[in-house]
Amino acid sequence: MSRLLLGIFVSCFSLHVHAAVSLLGPNEQASNVFKQANQTHLDTDNSQSAIKGLDTSPNSELGVGERLLSRLSWPVQASRESALVLKAEDYQVRYPDLQQSIQYFHPDSLWYGYPQARNTRDQLQWMLLEFSLAGGPKQLSDWLAQINAINNDNPQWEALYTDAFLGLMAFCQQLMRLDYAQSMALNNITATPLVILIDEPWLAHLSRADLYQQLSSMRGELNIERLRYRQQILHWLNVQQQRKQQVNIASGPLISLNSRDWRVPLIRQRLAEFDIANQFADLQLATMDADTVIALKRFQTQHGLKADGIVGSDTLYWLNFKPVNRSKMLARNLLRKQLLERFMLSSNQQRIMVNVPAYQMTYLDKDSEVFQSKVVVGRASRATPLLVSEISSVVINPYWNVPRTIVRKDIIPKLRRDPAYVDQQRFELFDYQGQAVPSEQIDWTRVKDTGAFPYRMRQRPGPGNALGAYKFHFDNQFAVYLHDTSSPELFSEQQRAFSSGCVRVEAADYLAETLLKQAGYSEQYKQRLIAKGEPKWVPLKQKVPVYLVYFTSWFDGSGGLHYRKDIYNFASVDSFLAS
């Protein structure tokens, strides 16, 4: 099969990647399904239909997305601990016993000598790239660097590809052992041991066709979203290569419309790298013109910043974000999405997704968005736990049972200064036998904010209650929930990590209305309960799944790409592979 070279790759992606590639299989029609992910797409459905029309069977070469990578210059160079070899006989096999067994059962090559062999090798190379960038074990990037350095059409490198395949299988086996929170955080996968468990019958039945299917199962569904992730991963790796050096835009005075500043040309360059739609008449102009401000506002929106067209410290953070670290962020979130599928409760059509670093809640029905809401999540020292559960009840006019951590760290210091704070905030105190304790009987100056607190504290429903008018209960070991709030002013902030772990919902009233409606309760019923001012647990007829997820990059419904800060520092730059 003839290979389309770099020029076609550039025309499809509108970017330059140093790779010799072929986008289409022998029986496929040319179709430009790749769109610049940072632009708004009006033809998403058409793109999806183009993907669904492909023949993905192992007997035909999957055209779109599989041949994008035949020689990629990442990692830039091998580490000192793992020098590259130039001859196949010098390669040190990592899994010698398994390799010997594979040769016994399959004397013919698994990686060369049949029509789909090149496609299978390309797929393996893709998986090494994605898992390495996502923060996987260093050995994965070492295999990728070695494959990038060789003539991969030479069948003498069979052992290298088999080793890399077995290593990928070992990594995926370990990923399947992660629980939900670990699958979202992905904060220790670099240390994952590449120990593989394979039985002899599996080896005996392994075939060339099975090889591709195994890789496909590791990869997940090849849909339009994955293709967009791959496009952006390659884009930012290429930008990293194109930059002669990483020059940060220096901090300094705010830059706004008509400001004249020596940093403006570099700002313009970064905006052009971020979105090919950003075309500027004069890149070197030192004045902040209207076109640059418009592009900057789009950039700020896609990073969760206030779209004011002013360059300040938060905007500089993202303008200076290393391109290779964008690729790593994208790969990490692509892996999160793949792992999330294991935990989706498919039997339920409605669900709630709370994306913690985006400070956003989305209510979905049959994968269609019903509404979104801003949320407030836990600060870094009291992080919102990542979990999956089901909302079983809406509590109207809830009591707030104050967690002991908040009592010790927040409330007791205030009570030492002003004992009347208990009554002002309408708190009630109980001993552990359930007997009410008048607050005036307690000498708060003698109560320590460390160790056991001898009382339970709760806040009565009504004005000033920290949970507001609604609490959305779901079972979990952390005693967290979604709820209304008596401090709505915090929703006006761009960064909203203020709580002690629970999730405050700006559209709590509409969420309550939606949940109660599907349970058969009217709006009038809800309003009557609120007017009474008494706590009322209203059970739902059908529980609604709720997922507290952690995506620092994602594509919206129109294909626009968004980035957010890693507010809990799960994937600090230091933990990534060396740039």
Side-chain angles (χ1 to χ4, degrees):
M1 177 182 123
S2 62
R3 303 197 182 282
L4 306 181
L5 298 179
L6 184 60
I8 294 181
F9 183 74
V10 171
S11 67
C12 285
F13 277 85
S14 301
L15 53 89
H16 308 281
V17 175
H18 299 300
V21 298
S22 176
L23 292 181
L24 301 177
N27 302 317
E28 292 161 358
Q29 300 297 317
S31 174
N32 182 9
V33 301
F34 300 101
K35 306 293 183 181
Q36 176 63 22
N38 296 322
Q39 301 181 60
T40 299
H41 310 305
L42 301 179
D43 57 346
T44 302
D45 292 338
N46 292 335
S47 297
Q48 289 175 330
S49 63
I51 297 298
K52 292 176 181 176
L54 294 179
D55 181 3
T56 60
S57 67
N59 295 321
S60 67
E61 294 192 67
L62 181 59
V64 181
E66 295 299 336
R67 289 296 187 80
L68 308 183
L69 181 72
S70 67
R71 194 68 53 81
L72 178 70
S73 301
W74 192 91
V76 176
Q77 57 184 346
S79 65
R80 296 176 181 176
E81 294 80 15
S82 58
L84 301 178
V85 297
L86 302 179
K87 297 180 181 179
E89 56 266 28
D90 294 332
Y91 172 71
Q92 185 173 355
V93 176
R94 181 181 177 93
Y95 302 103
D97 293 339
L98 284 174
Q99 293 253 14
Q100 188 175 7
S101 296
I102 289 173
Q103 289 176 358
Y104 173 79
F105 288 112
H106 307 284
D108 294 333
S109 172
L110 290 174
W111 301 98
Y112 296 92
Y114 59 100
Q116 290 78 34
R118 177 57 186 269
N119 206 46
T120 303
R121 297 198 305 274
D122 286 350
Q123 174 71 333
L124 179 137
Q125 200 170 351
W126 262 116
M127 298 315 301
L128 288 173
L129 175 67
E130 290 181 6
F131 287 154
S132 297
L133 288 169
K138 179 179 169 297
Q139 180 62 57
L140 299 181
S141 65
D142 289 344
W143 278 319
L144 178 60
Q146 181 65 65
I147 290 174
N148 288 340
I150 66 172
N151 173 11
N152 54 21
D153 289 324
N154 184 349
Q156 294 181 356
W157 291 100
E158 176 88 5
L160 169 62
Y161 278 95
T162 302
D163 252 3
F165 171 68
L166 293 172
L168 284 173
M169 286 194 64
F171 183 56
C172 288
Q173 285 181 356
Q174 297 299 320
L175 289 178
M176 292 303 103
R177 297 181 179 183
L178 300 180
D179 63 22
Y180 181 85
Q182 292 168 333
S183 298
M184 285 291 101
L186 292 179
N187 56 345
N188 196 32
I189 60 173
T190 302
T192 303
L194 296 182
V195 178
I196 187 168
L197 300 176
I198 296 179
D199 57 21
E200 191 170 279
W202 185 91
L203 286 175
H205 288 89
L206 182 65
S207 68
R208 289 170 168 177
D210 290 337
L211 198 65
Y212 183 84
Q213 291 302 318
Q214 288 286 334
L215 289 166
S216 298
S217 65
M218 296 181 207
R219 175 203 66 200
E221 182 184 1
L222 185 65
N223 53 21
I224 188 65
E225 185 175 46
R226 177 172 287 274
L227 295 177
R228 285 171 175 158
Y229 269 106
R230 286 185 169 186
Q231 181 250 347
Q232 284 293 295
I233 287 169
L234 289 184
H235 169 68
W236 288 111
L237 290 177
N238 179 67
V239 170
Q240 186 74 37
Q241 290 177 349
Q242 295 300 312
R243 288 188 187 176
K244 301 302 180 183
Q245 56 183 348
Q246 176 69 29
V247 178
N248 282 346
I249 304 173
S251 58
L254 296 178
I255 302 175
S256 57
L257 181 63
N258 296 324
S259 294
R260 187 169 181 82
D261 194 294
W262 65 271
R263 298 171 293 170
V264 171
L266 192 51
I267 292 171
R268 216 173 268 122
Q269 176 188 328
R270 298 291 164 82
L271 293 173
E273 290 174 349
F274 184 76
D275 189 342
I276 61 170
N278 292 330
Q279 301 292 324
F280 303 103
D282 185 357
L283 280 172
Q284 301 306 315
L285 182 67
T287 301
M288 191 76 161
D289 60 346
D291 288 343
T292 306
V293 169
I294 292 172
L296 182 64
K297 287 181 178 179
R298 287 198 300 267
F299 179 88
Q300 290 171 324
T301 297
Q302 290 179 260
H303 291 84
L305 306 175
K306 183 179 180 181
D308 55 9
I310 299 174
V311 179
S313 59
D314 289 338
T315 301
L316 280 176
Y317 172 86
W318 285 110
L319 288 170
N320 286 327
F321 204 77
K322 286 185 178 181
V324 70
N325 287 334
R326 285 193 188 269
S327 288
K328 293 171 180 177
M329 178 183 287
L330 289 161
R332 201 173 190 88
N333 284 280
L334 180 57
L335 180 56
R336 284 187 177 117
K337 288 188 69 67
Q338 184 173 334
L339 295 176
L340 176 62
E341 294 299 320
R342 298 167 51 220
F343 301 95
M344 297 296 286
L345 303 177
S346 58
S347 61
N348 294 277
Q349 295 179 330
Q350 294 185 337
R351 66 182 184 273
I352 293 171
M353 310 292 289
V354 177
N355 189 5
V356 173
Y359 313 112
Q360 178 176 284
M361 185 205 81
T362 305
Y363 194 105
L364 297 159
D365 186 4
K366 299 179 182 178
D367 291 327
S368 296
E369 181 182 311
V370 178
F371 69 95
Q372 286 189 339
S373 174
K374 294 178 180 179
V375 298
V376 171
V377 301
R379 68 199 80 165
S381 60
R382 304 181 193 178
T384 294
L386 304 174
L387 57 85
V388 57
S389 186
E390 293 177 297
I391 294 179
S392 57
S393 300
V394 177
V395 187
I396 298 176
N397 300 320
Y399 278 107
W400 179 36
N401 294 298
V402 188
R404 295 176 185 177
T405 299
I406 296 178
V407 171
R408 290 197 308 266
K409 294 184 177 181
D410 300 337
I411 296 179
I412 289 178
K414 294 178 181 178
L415 289 172
R416 288 202 192 104
R417 294 190 298 269
D418 181 12
Y421 182 79
V422 169
D423 297 324
Q424 293 169 1
Q425 298 298 314
R426 305 171 67 246
F427 286 120
E428 298 174 339
L429 293 165
F430 300 87
D431 62 24
Y432 283 101
Q433 285 70 48
Q435 298 298 314
V437 178
S439 61
E440 58 268 18
Q441 293 183 4
I442 302 172
D443 183 358
W444 292 104
T445 62
R446 301 174 64 87
V447 177
K448 298 180 179 179
D449 54 9
T450 58
F453 181 65
Y455 309 104
R456 290 189 301 108
M457 181 178 289
R458 74 178 185 183
Q459 190 178 37
R460 291 191 295 274
N465 181 282
L467 306 188
Y470 310 101
K471 168 185 168 181
F472 306 95
H473 175 78
F474 48 88
D475 291 337
N476 65 95
Q477 67 187 84
F478 306 100
V480 297
Y481 35 82
L482 276 60
H483 64 86
D484 190 15
T485 181
S486 58
S487 304
E489 66 277 2
L490 294 179
F491 292 117
S492 64
E493 300 290 333
Q494 297 298 122
Q495 315 300 318
R496 296 187 292 276
F498 299 118
S499 84
S500 293
C502 287
V503 178
R504 308 174 193 174
V505 182
E506 183 178 40
D509 186 71
Y510 190 63
L511 176 58
E513 177 184 339
T514 303
L515 291 172
L516 293 174
K517 182 178 180 180
Q518 63 94 354
Y521 301 102
S522 67
E523 172 68 12
Q524 292 75 18
Y525 176 77
K526 184 190 76 171
Q527 293 299 333
R528 286 198 301 270
L529 292 178
I530 292 175
K532 287 183 178 180
E534 299 175 357
K536 176 67 175 179
W537 284 67
V538 183
L540 302 181
K541 293 181 180 179
Q542 182 176 355
K543 296 179 181 180
V544 176
V546 57
Y547 301 85
L548 304 188
V549 299
Y550 198 89
F551 292 112
T552 53
S553 65
W554 72 93
F555 289 92
D556 61 28
S558 61
L561 179 56
H562 299 262
Y563 296 91
R564 295 295 185 271
K565 283 188 177 181
D566 179 11
I567 60 174
Y568 296 155
N569 201 32
F570 286 142
S572 65
V573 174
D574 291 339
S575 72
F576 280 142
L577 301 174
S579 300

